[in-house]
Amino acid sequence: MADNILEVKDLTKYFKTPKGMLHAVDHVNFTIGRGKTLGVVGESGCGKSTTGRCILRLIEPTSGEVLFDGNDVAKLGKREMRAMRKDMQIIFQDPYSSLDPRKSVNQIIAEPLILNKILKDKREIEERVFELMDTVGLAERLVNAYPHELDGGRRQRIGIARALAMEPKFIVCDEPVSALDVSIQAQILNLLEKLQEERGLTYMFITHDLSVVNHFSDDIAVMYLGQIVEKAPAEELFAHPLHPYTEALLSAIPVPSLRNRRKRITIKGEITSPIDPPNACRFASRCQYACENCRNGVPQLVEVRPEHFVACSRLADIRDING
């Protein structure tokens, strides 16, 4: 049995709205192996970031279990949760809005050390800040700079240093490169990979960029309107996409070749409302293969190939196609 650092069971988050209950995350299940990376992909509004924040309890889940090293995070009290946060951190999407503009680089990185009373001596805190800055590639001369004086790449390095200050085991990377230039994206991704190798970190990497997630992840989970519709090892998912939504997403990835261009699959139809959705496949209204079965209950994740799970009402057809 794999050594899983995180196990998510039936994680659910609903938001009350004037029109009904918005199903942001709906009975999501997955595990992440220790030292591995799970990429979570899907279009904007599918529940990726909400899932990550519920795991860390930055947003309180409606129901479900989040087992981190065997402890149910959802049941911890404030004091226990504060201690647990040392092992569970987050890198936010926007490296500017996630940093306090009134604090210098030194103050931002030192803040978790001071608040959690990890270090009390001023000199020790200063040495630790310089050590973290060196780890993420920030020059010492920037120690007294403010976020508005720096570019996006340096700001994101500050966010990474702040996350590393507590020596965490698990980090939710919430689209950490989507707001950066392409050349800077590569630098940040290489930094995260290096940190994972050196420190044995486990990542939940949230993104809408499939090219990035293929490069960075061990396993990939595809989300659609609050539910995971497919999950598999990265290489397997790209070689054998089984869910129609995954097929459409992969077809949109640009290929720098005139000979091996993918046939683009255009998704048509109306998006199912996430507010009190019907008891049916949520992709059915946009799926070219939709049949009557798709409207008779929500399909469950089923293993159709080794470690390859898909939630689709066409399971019989998929098994026939894939042996």
Side-chain angles (χ1 to χ4, degrees), residues 13-40:
K13 179 60 183 178
Y14 297 161
F15 292 97
K16 190 175 182 179
T17 73
K19 294 183 178 180
M21 298 301 290
L22 190 153
H23 293 219
V25 179
D26 214 348
H27 300 287
V28 163
N29 296 273
F30 61 81
T31 59
I32 307 179
R34 196 176 301 276
K36 301 294 184 181
T37 299
L38 173 69
V40 182

Side-chain angles (χ1 to χ4, degrees), residues 13-127:
K13 179 60 183 178
Y14 297 161
F15 292 97
K16 190 175 182 179
T17 73
K19 294 183 178 180
M21 298 301 290
L22 190 153
H23 293 219
V25 179
D26 214 348
H27 300 287
V28 163
N29 296 273
F30 61 81
T31 59
I32 307 179
R34 196 176 301 276
K36 301 294 184 181
T37 299
L38 173 69
V40 182
V41 299
E43 56 198 303
S44 297
C46 71
K48 308 183 300 293
S49 295
T50 303
T51 300
R53 293 176 187 224
C54 283
I55 287 170
L56 300 178
R57 277 185 64 187
L58 297 178
I59 299 174
E60 289 293 334
T62 301
S63 63
E65 293 180 282
V66 178
L67 301 177
F68 181 78
D69 266 341
N71 298 306
D72 189 353
V73 173
K75 293 181 180 178
L76 297 180
K78 285 186 178 180
R79 183 177 295 179
E80 295 166 311
M81 192 64 224
R82 184 169 186 144
M84 182 66 76
R85 289 194 195 284
K86 296 176 184 178
D87 292 330
M88 307 171 74
Q89 290 290 310
I90 185 169
I91 300 168
F92 293 98
Q93 177 178 359
D94 187 342
Y96 187 62
S97 64
S98 65
L99 303 177
D100 189 336
R102 298 166 298 179
K103 292 185 176 180
S104 66
V105 172
N106 175 47
Q107 292 171 318
I108 291 169
I109 297 174
E111 186 174 29
L113 298 171
I114 296 169
L115 288 176
N116 290 278
K117 301 178 181 178
I118 303 299
L119 298 172
K120 295 181 181 179
D121 183 77
K122 190 174 180 181
R123 178 170 291 182
E124 288 182 345
I125 293 172
E126 187 177 271
E127 289 175 355

